[in-house]
Amino acid sequence: MPKRVDHAQRRAHIADALARVAAREGLHTVTLRGVAAEAGVSLNLVQHYFGTKAELMHAALLRLERLSHERWSARLAQLPRPVTPRALFEAFLAEALPTDGPSRDFHLVWTAYATLAMTDPELAAQPFVEGPDRLERQLAEVLRRAQRDGALDPRRDPAAEAARLLTLSHGLGTSVLVGQRSPDAAHALLHAHLDEVFGADETGGAHGASSE
Amino acid sequence: MPKRVDHAQRRAHIADALARVAAREGLHTVTLRGVAAEAGVSLNLVQHYFGTKAELMHAALLRLERLSHERWSARLAQLPRPVTPRALFEAFLAEALPTDGPSRDFHLVWTAYATLAMTDPELAAQPFVEGPDRLERQLAEVLRRAQRDGALDPRRDPAAEAARLLTLSHGLGTSVLVGQRSPDAAHALLHAHLDEVFGADETGGAHGASSE
DNA sequence: CTTTTCATGGTACAGCTGTACTATGAAAAA
DNA sequence: TTTTTCATAGTACAGCTGTACCATGAAAAG
């Protein structure tokens, strides 16, 4: 055998290059040559590790999903214990909104993929269904626990609240990406929503709906 | 002068053809030849009425926006008077979700355009900022009136509630388009949200969150 | 009737894209 | 050392895309 190369690493390197190009110029402008140039490799190398463009696109999507999942897990892991429901949802809110540059890039490309998947049946719609579904169940479970601990009004439906929060954050995310809302405004809105769900009406908390 | 032709009509015909192609196969697959074939005209005719592809794309977007605005106005106009806030929001909810085929097609293409606008600066992001902004102000005004009439808890912030409702409906719309949620489920969720905002908790209304 | 105007059609062309093919050189295996 | 294996590079090619150009015919204007 010859030079011995870590295939997974090479594929990740190229997939990341695709994500950068897509974030900068749009997913629809992605070409094999463009990705190769961004990755600093030859066109043939991209072909060698992915064969076809469709497979590259698919692999880059899977990588995006994996990285996103890992970021979320890492953020959860470094929450101060014990993890209060409110803290967990604050973490979610910080992760789900495109605030800083890298986060914005990720959400941009992810949204572009989702749009693609709406019409391209071969591009698996799985990530856009199973991913959110899993997150929704996870959040619903947290809410159920919060109810048992008395931190959430027992009259609320945990599943519905989880769905509403996820949907709201997603909608706010795209409104930020498109330039309708500032990240701060989105953050404030989602924060106010959490206040309402967790019943901060009477406590007079000085959270403020302004920036920061 | 020769044959006399209604330019606006020809342009609308071709723009509609673009929308159909985009709804069926994705906005990224749109080509001048494809649109021409869909419209049943020659390639040159598309060039003749739009000159460049960028202008065709732009014109089709403007037409989408105009048609959407007209649909919304028409739905508002045929509401039974006097228009109660709740009825108006029900109408909004019915218009904003991709339920039937045509509505799904519209939201699909609209979302694709929005995704494009996130990275293409020349494609005006205006429609995706000014449109929602105007709608948001409109809904906020309705909520303010509702507060004066005692139909809405005065402690609620009309602007924030309008933003939340719009964002929620948009998020639900994409979740339907991507296949995560059924139109009925989205409808039920938004309905429950309205119930909460308008305070239907204690009235015991039998609205039901099922498929109707 | 002539002439002009313009809607419509056909075709050509340069550029880019995905993909296939061939070559080379280095390192591991024999 | 010889052979094999594979990472990497270069190149070719057919297809499609946007755009420019030319042709034609009919209807309005003179």
Side-chain angles (χ1 to χ4, degrees):
Chain A
M1 283 185 179
K3 212 195 329 186
R4 255 332 184 203
V5 159
D6 186 351
H7 270 231
Q9 176 185 326
R10 283 268 190 278
R11 286 171 60 96
H13 177 65
I14 296 175
D16 287 344
L18 183 146
R20 282 195 302 273
V21 174
R24 193 185 332 124
E25 306 165 32
L27 189 58
H28 62 286
T29 74
V30 163
T31 66
L32 293 186
R33 285 170 178 82
V35 172
E38 176 75 25
V41 301
S42 73
L43 164 62
N44 188 19
L45 211 65
V46 180
Q47 286 185 264
H48 187 252
Y49 283 105
F50 293 96
T52 173
K53 183 187 182 183
E55 200 195 322
L56 167 62
M57 296 281 283
H58 189 70
L61 172 59
L62 289 183
R63 177 162 173 81
L64 273 184
E65 187 186 24
R66 206 169 64 84
L67 290 182
S68 165
H69 187 70
E70 287 177 5
R71 264 198 309 271
W72 173 234
S73 297
R75 195 184 276 269
L76 274 189
Q78 72 182 19
L79 279 183
R81 304 307 176 101
V83 179
T84 71
R86 182 59 188 257
L88 189 143
F89 277 92
E90 291 287 347
F92 166 75
L93 164 165
E95 190 71 36
L97 289 182
T99 49
D100 55 352
S103 174
R104 179 186 165 86
D105 285 357
F106 164 75
H107 283 280
L108 207 76
V109 181
W110 184 261
T111 302
Y113 264 109
T115 306
L116 260 195
M118 291 178 190
T119 47
D120 285 18
E122 56 173 305
L123 189 70
Q126 266 190 11
F128 310 102
V129 175
E130 290 184 7
D133 271 356
R134 191 180 47 214
L135 235 181
E136 201 171 309
R137 283 194 300 270
Q138 192 179 357
L139 294 186
E141 182 54 36
V142 172
L143 288 177
R144 263 181 232 106
R145 225 175 329 124
Q147 278 184 332
R148 284 199 298 271
D149 298 348
L152 177 67
D153 189 327
R155 285 174 303 183
R156 291 195 180 268
D157 176 4
E161 290 301 333
R164 185 159 67 146
L165 228 146
L166 214 73
T167 304
L168 207 49
S169 71
H170 174 247
L172 283 172
T174 57
S175 79
V176 168
L177 288 180
V178 97
Q180 190 205 353
R181 240 177 278 278
S182 74
D184 282 348
H187 194 93
L189 235 152
L190 210 38
H191 210 100
H193 179 76
L194 282 184
D195 279 347
E196 178 179 330
V197 171
F198 282 102
D201 325 88
E202 309 294 341
T203 63
H207 270 128
S210 63
S211 67
E212 218 242 329
Chain B
M1 283 186 180
K3 216 197 321 187
R4 260 312 187 223
V5 158
D6 185 353
H7 270 230
Q9 175 184 327
R10 284 267 188 277
R11 285 170 63 95
H13 178 65
I14 295 176
D16 287 344
L18 183 145
R20 282 196 301 274
V21 174
R24 194 184 332 122
E25 305 165 32
L27 189 58
H28 62 287
T29 73
V30 164
T31 66
L32 292 187
R33 285 170 178 81
V35 172
E38 176 74 25
V41 301
S42 73
L43 164 62
N44 188 22
L45 212 65
V46 180
Q47 285 186 263
H48 187 253
Y49 283 105
F50 293 96
T52 173
K53 184 187 181 181
E55 200 195 321
L56 167 61
M57 296 281 283
H58 190 70
L61 172 59
L62 289 184
R63 178 162 172 80
L64 272 184
E65 186 185 25
R66 206 169 64 85
L67 290 182
S68 165
H69 188 70
E70 288 177 5
R71 265 199 308 272
W72 172 233
S73 296
R75 196 185 276 268
L76 274 189
Q78 72 182 18
L79 278 183
R81 305 306 176 102
V83 180
T84 71
R86 182 59 188 257
L88 188 144
F89 277 92
E90 291 287 345
F92 167 74
L93 164 166
E95 191 71 36
L97 289 182
T99 50
D100 54 352
S103 174
R104 179 186 166 85
D105 286 356
F106 165 75
H107 283 279
L108 206 76
V109 181
W110 184 262
T111 302
Y113 265 110
T115 306
L116 260 195
M118 291 178 190
T119 47
D120 285 18
E122 56 173 304
L123 189 69
Q126 266 189 12
F128 310 102
V129 175
E130 290 184 7
D133 271 356
R134 191 178 47 213
L135 234 181
E136 202 171 309
R137 284 194 300 270
Q138 192 178 359
L139 294 187
E141 183 52 38
V142 172
L143 287 177
R144 264 181 231 106
R145 227 179 324 126
Q147 277 185 334
R148 285 200 297 272
D149 298 349
L152 177 66
D153 189 327
R155 284 173 304 180
R156 291 195 180 267
D157 177 3
E161 290 300 332
R164 186 159 68 146
L165 228 145
L166 214 72
T167 304
L168 206 50
S169 71
H170 174 247
L172 283 172
T174 57
S175 78
V176 168
L177 288 179
V178 97
Q180 190 205 353
R181 241 177 277 278
S182 74
D184 283 348
H187 194 94
L189 235 150
L190 210 38
H191 210 100
H193 180 76
L194 281 185
D195 279 347
E196 179 179 330
V197 171
F198 283 101
D201 326 87
E202 309 294 341
T203 62
H207 272 129
S210 64
S211 63
E212 207 237 338

